Amino acid sequence: MISRPSAVVRLDGRAFDARSAGLLELRVDLGLARHDAATLGLAPGSPLDPSPGARLEIALGEAGAEEPVWSGSVIERVDAPAGLRVEALTPSHALSAARRAEVYLQQSVAQIVRDLVSDTVPINTLEGDLALDVYTVEPRRTVWDYVVELAHLADCVLSSTADGALRLVASGGSAGAIGGALGALGALAGESDALRRGAELLSWRLGPSSASSGPARALAAVGAASEQGATRWHWLRARPTPVGSVPAAGSPRLVGAVRTRAAAEQVAEGMAARRARGETVGELVAVGRPSLRPGQTVRVADLPSGDATLRLESVTHRLSSHAGFLTHARGVADAGSGALGGVGSLSGWMP
């Protein structure tokens, strides 16, 4: 069967296919803890005439079977003799302009995030059971800064869904325990089949990550209650007792919101899991796969060094008249997931 990749662009509810929209090129950038972006290049005279603030929705795939991949609003349009360039961002970008002043007492990460974002962006799922005794939000930083920080503390995956809603789900530990919550995320995006060398996979790079080298930084709770439990009162210690991996040198890291030993141990567990997940990194280029999304897991199969399972951190979908529909993805995996090294391409071409 001949592949006929296409796109459907909806502007304030009006639908245009790639041909009728005069679409020259399209790029959709999806990632974790970032604002998903879309860039459109339109031919002169395109019936699309977006103004900043207009709602934009994009679906990609085979002609007649396009799947929703992105939703947001137009941020900027640039007119030029060669055509029109449109820049758009997912609804979460509004959180980068929002500022709040709040103090949260004995709230979970999920509860705090819900209060911070519910008036600004649509919500799909909010998880994060890490309990914080005190968490302070100040207008010197944006709401988005705090949401990203909270996701990091609770070891949660922060992303946007195809319809632009915010999603915060527990990472599920190391990549070796991939089922869990991220399996649900994969189901939301559509479970992807394996990307196979010689079929869907065009090129790849797999190897150890330098980011996880060196000793891990230890963590300690700020309050002395960390030693005997959250309900006990004690003198503060000049040298807090570290939890988790003790570094070869240097003092343990202190996080103001982490005041009990139980919370510190939970955060330290997440830190260790992130290091384990990042031992192997992979970059892939495949024939266009609109179902791939950040946070999802994908199996890379039939490589010379063996199969590997990657947890995707970023996905870029590109559609153009000269290159067709390609999906670029980057992910991380445990050392135990296989395929620990290799660079390859079907034709010697690395996009």
Side-chain angles (χ1 to χ4, degrees), residues 41 54 69 77 87 102 108 136 178 180 210 224 228 256 262 298 305 312 325:
V69 297
R77 54 171 290 164
E87 303 279 354
E102 305 284 352
S108 70
T136 304
I178 266 163
S210 59
Q228 297 294 330
V298 62
S305 54
L312 301 183
F325 180 22

Side-chain angles (χ1 to χ4, degrees), residues 35 94-100 116 137-148:
H35 307 311
L95 298 175
S96 286
R99 298 178 185 272
R100 297 272 298 273
L116 288 174
V137 174
E138 299 178 341
R140 288 180 294 180
R141 298 167 60 193
T142 68
V143 169
W144 181 251
D145 290 335
Y146 286 107
V147 172
V148 171

Side-chain angles (χ1 to χ4, degrees), residues 10 17 21 28 56 60 113 153 177 214-215 232 246 274 298 301 305 332:
R10 290 183 177 274
D17 61 20
V28 176
L56 200 63
L60 289 170
V113 171
L153 283 175
R232 303 292 297 276
V246 180
R274 279 194 298 275
V298 62
S305 54
V332 296

Side-chain angles (χ1 to χ4, degrees), residues 25-43:
E25 59 180 348
L26 170 66
R27 174 173 173 150
V28 176
D29 292 302
L30 311 174
L32 301 181
R34 56 178 282 186
H35 307 311
D36 295 343
T39 303
L40 289 75
L42 303 171

